[in-house]
Each structure stands twice: as C-alpha cells, then as structure tokens.
Amino acid sequence: MSDNATTLNDDLELEVVTDIDPAPASTDDTDTATAESRPTKRKPTHALALAPVGSPPSSVDGFVKEFLRELNFGQGVALSTSTVNDQYMALAKTVRHYLMARWLETLRRQFQSQAKGVAYLSAEYLLGRQLGNALLATGLTEIVEEGLDQCGIDLADLRAQEVEPGLGNGGLGRLAACFIDSLATMNVPCVGYGIRYQYGIFRQTFVDGRQVEQPDSWLTLGAPWEFPHPEAAQTINFGGHTEHYTDTDGVERSRWVPGWKVKAVPYNYMVPGYQNGRVNTLRLWRSVATDAFDLRIFNSGDYEEAVRAQTYAENISKVLYPEDSTPQGKELRLQQQYFFVAASIADLLRYLLPKDYDLHNLPNRVIFQLNDTHPVIGVPELMRVLVDEKKMDWDEAWAITQQCFAYTCHTLLPEALEVWPVELLGRLLPRHLEIIYRINEEFLEQVAERFPGDHLRISRMSIIAEFPERAVRMAYLATVAGAKVNGVAELHSQLLRDKVLPDFDEFYPGKFTNVTNGVTPRRFVKLANPALSELITDAIGVGWLTDLERLRELEPYATDEEFRERFREVKAHNKRRLNRVLEQRDGTSVDDTHMLDVMVKRLHEYKRQTLKLLHIVTEYDRIISGEVAAADITPRTFIFGAKAAPGYKIAKDIIHLINGVGSVVNSDPRVEGRLKVLFPPNYNVTLAEKVIPAADLSEQISLAGKEASGTGNMKFALNGALTIGTDDGANVEIRRLVKDDNFFLFGLLEPEVEDLYARGYVPSSYYEKNESLKRAIDLIAEGAFSNGDRDMYASVVGNLLHEDRFMALADYESYIEAQDKVAAAYADTEWWTRAAILNVARCGFFSSDRSMRDYIDRIWHTPPAY
Ligand code: 26W
C-alpha cells in the first residue's frame, strides 16, 4: 500500500490528493522498458502547457493513490469489498485521467492551428478492448502492474473484465479502428465519426452445433471510456416535404419541411497516439427523442404514444446491422446512415470551424473520408446545407463538395453494392432525393457532351438505376462526388477500375487510386504478442513499432540458429497462452506440439470455409480408410472463428457442419488425437489477439477476385504464421514481399475464374473426376458427421454439387496439393521457422501507418500537424 495513504479504518483507504506527479518524458519508444529497468521516481523533464492534472504518474505510489481515490470516490467502495468490475472501472478511469490533459491540449491546438484534418465517416468501428491500448499508449503498463500488485490485484484479471465494444462486423470496422490509431500516432488531425450502437455485433453461441445469436450488452457493466456530451446534441430531421420559393433577391430556392426529428447526442472516446502525447477523438452518436417531439404528444395527453415516440427515436442507434456484404435495404439502416452523417457534418461546421468561417475554404480544412457507401448520403447533405441553409450558389457548392469527399470501396461483390429505392429515399429524405436527381442530371449532361449519342453509356452510368426498381446507386454517387476513389489492395483497385466502374475510370482519369490496407502494429503485434515483441526488440532495438519497415533488420536472424530457437519458443508460449484462454472460456484445449492451422473471418461463401472443411474431411478419410496411418500424419489443430449473418441460411448451415465434423473427428479413436477441430464461439477482436499470435498456418482461401483485401492475412504474417492462400486481395502483395518460397499459393487465378464462369462452371464434374473429393463429399452426404442422418447437411452438399458459386470444387485439388506441401514443410522445423521469421521481417509494409501515409499523400493532403 502507498505509504501516503491514510488508512481510516481496516479497509477504507482515503486520502485527499493535492499534488499529482508530473509527466514522464516519453515521446520516444519505451516498448522495451521492463519493470526492472524503469525508474520508479522520475524527474520532470518538461512541463505540459496545461495544468498537470491527470499527467501520468511517475511513480507506483502516485498511481496507487489515484487508483484508490477512484475506487473510493468514483465507485464508492473500499478495496476489500470491491468487485473485479469496481476495480476495472476505477483503473479505467484512473488511466483515462492521465490522457485527459493531452486530449484537451490536442483539441485546443487543433482548433488554434486550423490545420486540415480528416473526418473519417464510418458506420462501424470494431475497436477491441480499450484498457490495454490506453496503458500501452501512456507507457503505464509496468507502473500499473506493480501498483495493482501492491493492492493484491492482478492486472490481467481487470483486463479480462472489459467487454469489447464490438461496433462493427468485420474487416471494414476493424480497419477504421486501425486507421484512427495510426493517425493519432502520426500526429495527424482526425475525428472519427460513427454510431454508438447500444447493441454491437451479436454474441454468438452454439446450441447443438448451430449458431444462436444473443444480444451484445456491452454497456451494462458501465462504459468508462466514453464521455457523453448532451449539450452538444444535434437535431436530425426526417420525412416531410420540400417547398420551392423565390427569395428577396429573386433567387429560386428550396427548403425542406421535415415531418419528424430526433436528437443526436455525441459520445466522445479518446484515441491516444502511441506514446506521443497526442489524443485524437472518436465521436459516436446516440439517438434520443427530442424534447419538442415528446412534449407535443405528451400535451395531447397520450402518454403511451409519447413513450412510443421515445422508443422510435432511440431505435435508430439501438443495434448494429449484422449483415456483412448483403445490404438488406431496410429503412432503419438508411435512417442510421443519415442520422450519423448529418450529425457529423453539422458538428463539424458548428464546433470545428470558427464562427464566421468562409465555407469556400472548407476543402482546405477538412476531408470527409467515406468508409464504403454507408455514409454517402453525406454528399447530398453537405449540398443541402451549403445551398439551402448557407444560401450558396449550386455550382460553387458542388465544387466544394467534390473536393471535400473521397470514397473507399471495400468490395467487388455486386450484391454488396448499396442501392436505395427512390421510393424509400424520397419518403425519408425528400430534399436529398431532389439534390441527387440534380447531381445526376448535370453529370449525365457532361457524359452526353463527351459521348454524344451514346445512350447505352448514359444509362449505364446513371446514378439512378431503373431496374428492377428505381433506385439510387450509392457507389456511383460516391464516385461522381468524390475527389478520389480507392480500392483496398492492388488487385482490388485494378478490378474496381476494370470491372465495376470502367465507365467512370474512363470519364475521370486520375480519380481512381489504390491504398493497400494495413493493420496497427500496436494492437496486433505489441499488445497481442508481447513475447514476439520482446524478441524483436532484443534483436533490432526499439523504434520498429512506429516504423514497421524496420522489421527488415530481422532478415539476417532467419539463419541464426539461436534466434530461431527463441522464435519457436515464442510460438509455443503463445500456444500455451491460447490453451489457457480456451480452457477457461470453452473447456477445450490446444496442444503446443500441434501445428495450428487457423481460419478466422466472417462466414461467407466467397471466403470458402467449406473448402477448408473438405481438406479436414479428406485428412480424416485418409486415416479411417487406412490410406495412411494416423501416426504418419502431421498433428494439426484446426481453429475456426466465424459469425454468420443471422439471416444467411447457408452460412449458418456451414457453421453447423463445421461443428458436426469437429465433434466426430475429435472423438474418433482411430485419429489418435492427431487431428483436432476447434470452433470457439463468438470470435471477436479479443479472441483474435490470442489466436493469431499462436497460429502456424493462416488460411486465406477466398476465390480469386472476391476478397477485396483481407486484413487478417496481414496480422497472421506479422505474427509469424505462413499463409496458404489464393492469388486474391492483399495475398498478392504479401506473397510478392515474402517471396514465393515462403508462401503456399494455390487455386485459379482471377482471369481463370472469369474464364471458367464464362465457359459454364459445372461443379459436379470435379466431384466425378476426383476420387478423394468424391469420398469427402460422400462422407458428409452419407451422414458420417450427423449420426447417419443424410438430411442434416443436405443443403451444404447440394449447394456444393449443384451451385458452388465460389468454385470450391474447382480449387479442391490444388488446395489439397498445397496442404500436402504444408505438412511436409512443417516437418522440417528449421525451414519452417526460417520462413516464419522472413514473413515477419518482410511484412512491415502492412502497417496501417503506411496506409495512412498513402492516404495523406494521394488523397487527403493532411500533413502531421497540431
Ligand atoms: C450490409 C452492407 C454491407 C456491405 C459491405 C456491410 C458491410 C460491408 C463491408 C464492405 C464488408 C467488409 O467488411 N469488407 C471488407 O473490408 C475489408 C477492409 O477493407 C477488406 O479487407 C475485406 O476484404 C472486405 O471484405
């Protein structure tokens, strides 16, 4: 216990804190500082501009004092009676206090400098747990560990208490979280805007092997990382009609007379840079009923109706849509999109700009980055604000708008491209529909001017689709409005230009560009894999965490026997750590002598979890048919992690099948424990941080041309797993960097896929031709994994044999060959370790810091600033 603590009675520690420790000098990497090497008392080396309230403590005692104060005064409990949740809350609040001065300072300087910044508009942020990241950013981990230890508390227990904010579906949401981390670390002004869903992505459970969704109540135990600002609420309008009038200057104008409104209340979250004293902001909006709305109904005496109105308003930010890639075209979804985008634009104009700001300069002050088409309704919204509210001339407003937006596309699947029926848009946002019509009209006039008489082209390029119903093509609107349009990996950007938007590429030379995705090494290497991080720092020193290309310096160590031994020990350590996690959460186990073969990502047909299953069933069949002795098989544990959209029937059937195969393979004595299939439910960022560092083999097996980029692929490679993958998304770039020898390539190439589709793809012909494929499918069909029930998995079998949209059967043979090579390669331990080290050394390119640099140079033009 801190010796300054005044003990009032046996267990209540109470004290009044009058002095707070000054900030340590920590602008450089301190990622190697261990508890032993870190001085417990530091002299202040520089003073903060602000009052030192909340500066990081330079001593364990200082921390303990603040922590106990939060526990006593904030939670209202004594240490001895406190629950783990009390302790977690107190710790989170203590840590956030240390970031507060920096946050205020960042905001002050940002406003003062008026430097150009990024407004990242994203309907999803898949943040992962906050505590570990905040500790890392402040450099407080060791101090906190020691201080808590003095209080008899294990930091790991408090970290485990945090429920991660799962405010996203998958890659796109996690990418947004990585990007804002990088921008803060690189000192680039950025506000992330999004929705504070009350329920994030559902919690997945399995009942008899089938997915059952539970609500994700991430807020119930308290939300220590958020700062609500009801005073900064915005009113958001919907419905009603438009009016057209001539103003006193004789100018024809329009106004929107809305039918109903809701209030958008901002909740701020800190986005700390890595030990650089900067804290950017993530601002998420929550919908609540407006007072006016309530009152009107209230006064009419209809209490129940007033309460219903409240519910209606709160519904908008109630729940994240769990569909990944198939938009449902639901009215509430459009409401969500407009709700957060309109609130964000209004917020920006109201709070980030000085009072009399000349909006003609807006492009010098902000760039709105559209994370896929979800926020594209912001385009007509900015036009409405500029033209209807600020009385700007249309052409001027359009010129500004076209410089203020840029659009990132994250898909190639035609069904994932959002389209809003004109009927729905017109009913919900009548003025916006008019604006979209005018944008389209003027755009098509330009097209007609350049391509006179080319009516086909004009109808192809129209922002308004006519069939099967009149609808707004949001990707087209984004492309016309955006200063730049980018794909998320080289191949994807190429296909985007050539296949999805070729007319637009021709029409707007220079508008299309590529920015290959990246991942933050702070979370996905340092936090997730401390053992590897220490090994790296031992070899190449500090600094790599903010300059990931420096991992190249590891290359010579690939041939260093001692280093390889230590590298293997790190992997085994991470497997044992994963084992503990899985034992605790699911009662399952992994053996650190097994190869860990991992496929974690959303369940989607194009990602081909079925192909992975066919491989497992083939291995199983080789044993039970006596083709090989179990003892001769490379021991492997297969790990799946995947959520299926609740309405995606075949995806849910595939989950059921994975669990069916798992329970049979795991319990068949003939397998002698050499194969094991694990499917821990509820794969999320928290589990990813434990699974990825333990993996030996990364499965990136989408059909070529379907996965825009992938980001899991990058996380695995950076953590020393080898990839088995198709020539798709960012796999292409990973393979180029790590070199062919260190990557297991298989499958059709994208042009071959196109060709096969064109020739007519007949999946059953592969089944007929390939004996082991036939046996694998027959095993499933005959009920080997369903107690003889031939109906249970008939949908999956039928789909593979008669449809197989994503050509799993066509790639089967090549996949099995590659897997056999993997098995042989893994047997050569020294070779495998060397290749794994080279994967780490050569993948520094995939830091999201590099992605951010690319966006800054090619799209945003927002240099580091205050
Ligand atoms: C329901 C509408 C909808 C449509 C698309 C919801 C979500 C989406 C996203 C685009 C799905 C998504 O997460 N895409 C992934 O984005 C990652 C980040 O760029 C890429 O790495 C993945 O390849 C891509 O599938």
Side-chain angles (χ1 to χ4, degrees):
M1 192 60 45
S2 147
D3 29 45
N4 315 352
T6 315
T7 305
L8 289 190
N9 61 30
D10 278 346
D11 52 22
L12 179 66
E13 309 75 20
L14 191 64
E15 59 192 43
V16 177
V17 181
T18 49
D19 61 321
I20 298 207
D21 294 342
S26 64
T27 41
D28 51 356
D29 286 356
T30 54
D31 44 284
T32 48
T34 60
E36 302 85 62
S37 69
R38 184 186 288 280
T40 48
K41 286 267 188 228
R42 286 193 193 180
K43 286 264 179 295
T45 52
H46 70 275
L48 272 179
L50 279 176
V53 178
S55 302
S58 55
S59 70
V60 172
D61 283 356
F63 162 73
V64 169
K65 202 154 72 171
E66 293 235 0
F67 170 69
L68 292 176
R69 187 169 69 165
E70 268 307 328
L71 197 62
N72 297 158
F73 291 96
Q75 292 301 114
V77 293
L79 177 58
S80 63
T81 55
S82 59
T83 62
V84 173
N85 197 60
D86 287 325
Q87 295 162 8
Y88 161 69
M89 291 291 288
L91 176 59
K93 288 188 172 168
T94 307
V95 176
R96 78 179 200 176
H97 286 170
Y98 295 133
L99 286 164
M100 189 53 85
R102 281 119 194 263
W103 199 14
L104 298 175
E105 178 65 2
T106 302
L107 288 167
R108 188 185 66 78
R109 292 205 212 169
Q110 205 164 292
F111 187 81
Q112 211 171 40
S113 78
Q114 290 289 303
K116 184 173 178 183
V118 183
Y120 201 81
L121 299 181
S122 178
E124 304 189 5
Y125 290 89
L126 199 45
L127 296 171
R129 285 180 178 161
Q130 296 299 291
L131 177 57
N133 190 54
L135 289 173
L136 178 64
T138 47
L140 281 173
T141 311
E142 286 82 10
I143 285 181
V144 166
E145 225 159 29
E146 209 180 313
L148 289 177
D149 190 58
Q150 289 182 10
C151 300
I153 297 168
D154 187 347
L155 171 58
D157 292 340
L158 303 201
R159 286 173 63 160
Q161 181 65 18
E162 180 173 356
V163 182
E164 72 168 71
L167 309 184
N169 273 287
L172 161 139
R174 183 54 235 178
L175 188 76
C178 285
F179 281 3
I180 59 177
D181 176 88
S182 283
L183 290 173
T185 296
M186 297 164 69
N187 272 302
V188 176
C190 169
V191 188
Y193 281 113
I195 301 173
R196 179 188 175 274
Y197 301 105
Q198 189 183 338
Y199 296 97
I201 187 69
F202 63 84
R203 193 162 57 79
Q204 177 191 54
T205 60
F206 296 140
V207 175
D208 298 331
R210 291 182 191 276
Q211 170 175 298
V212 173
E213 302 90 21
Q214 307 283 347
D216 159 55
S217 319
W218 70 287
L219 291 166
T220 42
L221 286 178
W225 301 103
E226 66 183 21
F227 295 81
H229 281 281
E231 81 290 349
Q234 301 285 351
T235 300
I236 307 301
N237 295 317
F238 289 99
H241 62 276
T242 59
E243 288 174 358
H244 306 279
Y245 65 101
T246 309
D247 72 9
T248 45
D249 299 328
V251 182
E252 290 197 10
R253 301 210 166 273
S254 305
R255 70 176 149 238
W256 178 17
V257 184
W260 53 282
K261 50 185 87 177
V262 301
K263 227 161 52 175
V265 177
Y267 283 64
N268 289 347
Y269 299 75
M270 295 168 162
V271 185
Y274 174 69
Q275 300 186 353
N276 66 347
R278 187 187 181 95
V279 181
N280 279 346
T281 302
L282 172 63
R283 185 161 254 213
L284 304 182
W285 298 96
R286 173 186 182 188
S287 62
V288 299
T290 59
D291 303 336
F293 202 84
D294 284 344
L295 250 144
R296 196 168 43 81
I297 306 172
F298 221 87
N299 290 342
S300 75
D302 193 344
Y303 173 74
E304 278 173 44
E305 182 53 33
V307 173
R308 245 198 306 279
Q310 178 111 7
T311 312
Y312 191 82
E314 303 221 328
N315 260 342
I316 293 180
S317 63
K318 184 71 75 180
V319 57
L320 167 77
Y321 273 96
E323 275 76 36
D324 186 82
S325 82
T326 39
Q328 294 268 304
K330 295 261 178 63
E331 181 160 351
L332 181 60
R333 191 176 162 87
L334 182 57
Q335 288 176 9
Q336 289 185 336
Q337 296 182 352
Y338 179 66
F339 165 77
F340 97 86
V341 169
S344 307
I345 290 176
D347 184 71
L348 210 120
L349 298 183
R350 184 162 142 197
Y351 291 107
L352 290 193
L353 302 178
K355 280 278 162 295
D356 43 7
Y357 190 80
D358 179 359
L359 287 168
H360 291 92
N361 293 326
L362 198 59
N364 303 322
R365 183 72 173 95
V366 68
I367 176 90
F368 292 102
Q369 185 63 36
L370 302 166
N371 199 23
D372 216 88
T373 53
H374 318 154
V376 171
I377 196 68
V379 168
E381 171 63 6
L382 182 61
M383 284 301 286
R384 188 192 65 78
V385 170
L386 295 180
V387 174
D388 295 1
E389 291 183 4
K390 309 287 178 187
K391 315 291 183 207
M392 200 182 273
D393 169 69
W394 173 278
D395 291 341
E396 274 180 343
W398 182 235
I400 292 168
T401 299
Q402 279 189 304
Q403 297 172 73
C404 280
F405 285 96
Y407 160 53
T408 305
C409 175
H410 294 264
T411 188
L412 281 166
L413 302 181
E415 67 264 33
L417 295 174
E418 280 188 307
V419 153
W420 289 110
V422 158
E423 181 278 319
L424 169 58
L425 229 160
R427 181 155 45 78
L428 207 61
L429 301 167
R431 179 61 186 137
H432 296 77
L433 182 59
E434 286 179 1
I435 292 171
I436 293 168
Y437 278 146
R438 177 151 174 203
I439 292 171
N440 192 39
E441 209 172 284
E442 295 187 357
F443 167 63
L444 293 181
E445 270 169 28
Q446 288 177 22
V447 177
E449 225 167 87
R450 271 229 356 234
F451 300 95
D454 193 345
H455 301 296
L456 263 180
R457 180 186 299 261
I458 291 169
S459 73
R460 272 202 316 267
M461 293 182 79
S462 175
I463 294 171
I464 311 293
E466 299 295 334
F467 302 105
E469 57 180 336
R470 297 204 83 199
V472 181
R473 296 159 160 159
M474 301 307 270
Y476 290 14
L477 178 57
T479 304
V480 171
K484 294 280 175 179
V485 175
N486 77 284
V488 289
E490 281 176 18
L491 175 67
H492 173 239
S493 297
Q494 196 55 48
L495 294 172
L496 192 62
R497 296 169 68 161
D498 295 349
K499 302 265 155 79
V500 186
L501 301 165
D503 294 321
F504 291 86
D505 185 36
E506 190 182 348
F507 193 76
Y508 293 119
K511 187 177 275 210
F512 287 78
T513 184
N514 170 250
V515 179
T516 298
N517 283 166
V519 303
T520 173
R522 269 75 63 186
R523 181 174 291 271
F524 288 106
V525 182
K526 173 72 184 167
L527 270 183
N529 201 341
L532 178 63
S533 301
E534 205 180 308
L535 180 60
I536 294 171
T537 300
D538 275 356
I540 67 172
V542 295
W544 56 272
L545 209 47
T546 49
D547 182 7
L548 208 61
E549 288 281 3
R550 280 202 44 209
L551 290 178
R552 284 270 174 199
E553 294 165 28
L554 284 175
E555 277 204 33
Y557 290 91
T559 50
D560 176 332
E561 232 168 86
E562 192 203 318
F563 187 87
R564 285 203 300 245
E565 184 58 44
R566 290 180 67 194
F567 189 91
R568 277 193 296 273
E569 183 39 47
V570 166
K571 235 345 136 195
H573 166 86
N574 290 336
K575 287 178 186 177
R576 292 190 293 271
R577 184 181 67 158
L578 175 64
N579 181 55
R580 287 194 297 276
V581 170
L582 292 182
E583 270 182 345
Q584 228 208 353
R585 85 198 279 282
D586 313 318
T588 58
S589 61
V590 296
D591 185 328
D592 66 3
T593 64
H594 274 215
M595 180 207 299
L596 219 61
D597 178 337
V598 182
M599 183 164 188
V600 285
K601 49 187 81 246
R602 282 299 287 253
L603 201 310
H604 205 294
E605 288 165 278
Y606 83 79
K607 295 179 188 279
R608 303 198 295 190
Q609 277 90 355
T610 46
L611 182 56
K612 175 76 261 169
L613 259 182
L614 288 172
H615 168 236
I616 297 171
V617 172
T618 295
E619 290 288 322
Y620 176 65
D621 177 51
R622 282 171 172 175
I623 297 175
I624 62 172
S625 68
E627 187 185 318
V628 292
D632 293 337
I633 283 212
T634 306
R636 272 207 221 201
T637 295
F638 302 94
I639 297 188
F640 286 91
K643 290 180 184 178
Y648 190 175
K649 166 98 177 30
I650 190 78
K652 294 177 105 172
D653 290 346
I654 293 167
I655 285 180
H656 189 206
L657 176 57
I658 298 171
N659 281 322
V661 170
S663 64
V664 169
V665 169
N666 296 350
S667 61
D668 189 329
R670 293 172 292 183
V671 175
E672 295 172 17
R674 315 273 300 176
L675 300 178
K676 186 162 181 177
V677 182
L678 295 179
F679 193 166
N682 201 40
Y683 176 67
N684 58 9
V685 176
T686 304
L687 186 59
E689 289 169 16
K690 296 293 186 284
V691 169
I692 294 171
D696 295 302
L697 187 65
S698 159
E699 300 273 352
Q700 307 300 335
I701 62 177
S702 52
L703 176 62
K706 302 299 173 193
E707 187 70 272
S709 163
T711 45
N713 47 4
M714 302 167 186
K715 294 165 197 165
F716 280 102
L718 281 167
N719 281 280
L722 271 59
T723 304
I724 182 164
T726 47
D727 204 46
D728 199 15
N731 297 353
V732 176
E733 290 158 75
I734 293 177
R735 185 167 61 96
R736 190 165 67 219
L737 281 163
V738 306
K739 301 278 178 344
D740 285 18
D741 290 357
N742 305 305
F743 187 107
F744 298 94
L745 176 70
F746 76 96
L748 297 167
L749 305 180
E750 191 277 333
E752 295 170 340
V753 168
E754 285 303 306
D755 203 55
L756 185 50
Y757 275 132
R759 291 201 321 265
Y761 173 57
V762 184
S764 56
S765 67
Y766 294 85
Y767 166 88
E768 301 296 347
K769 275 185 313 211
N770 186 310
E771 187 53 31
S772 79
L773 171 60
K774 184 168 186 307
R775 282 211 305 270
I777 291 185
D778 287 350
L779 273 177
I780 300 169
E782 286 160 7
F785 307 106
S786 47
N787 280 320
D789 182 342
R790 305 174 63 102
D791 293 331
M792 193 174 280
Y793 304 121
S795 63
V796 180
V797 172
N799 188 290
L800 281 177
L801 285 178
H802 305 300
E803 210 166 328
D804 193 19
R805 268 186 73 200
F806 299 99
M807 300 182 169
L809 302 200
D811 273 347
Y812 169 86
E813 190 174 319
S814 157
Y815 182 52
I816 297 295
E817 263 175 42
Q819 284 289 5
D820 289 343
K821 279 190 205 147
V822 166
Y826 193 74
D828 184 347
T829 310
E830 294 301 332
W831 179 89
W832 187 278
T833 315
R834 182 181 161 278
I837 295 167
L838 289 177
N839 266 263
V840 178
R842 295 173 178 173
C843 281
F845 175 79
F846 298 107
S847 168
S848 45
D849 300 349
R850 189 271 316 146
S851 304
M852 292 297 86
R853 233 172 294 122
D854 287 350
Y855 275 92
I856 291 164
D857 293 346
R858 292 179 211 158
I859 302 175
W860 298 337
H861 312 296
T862 52
Y866 245 108

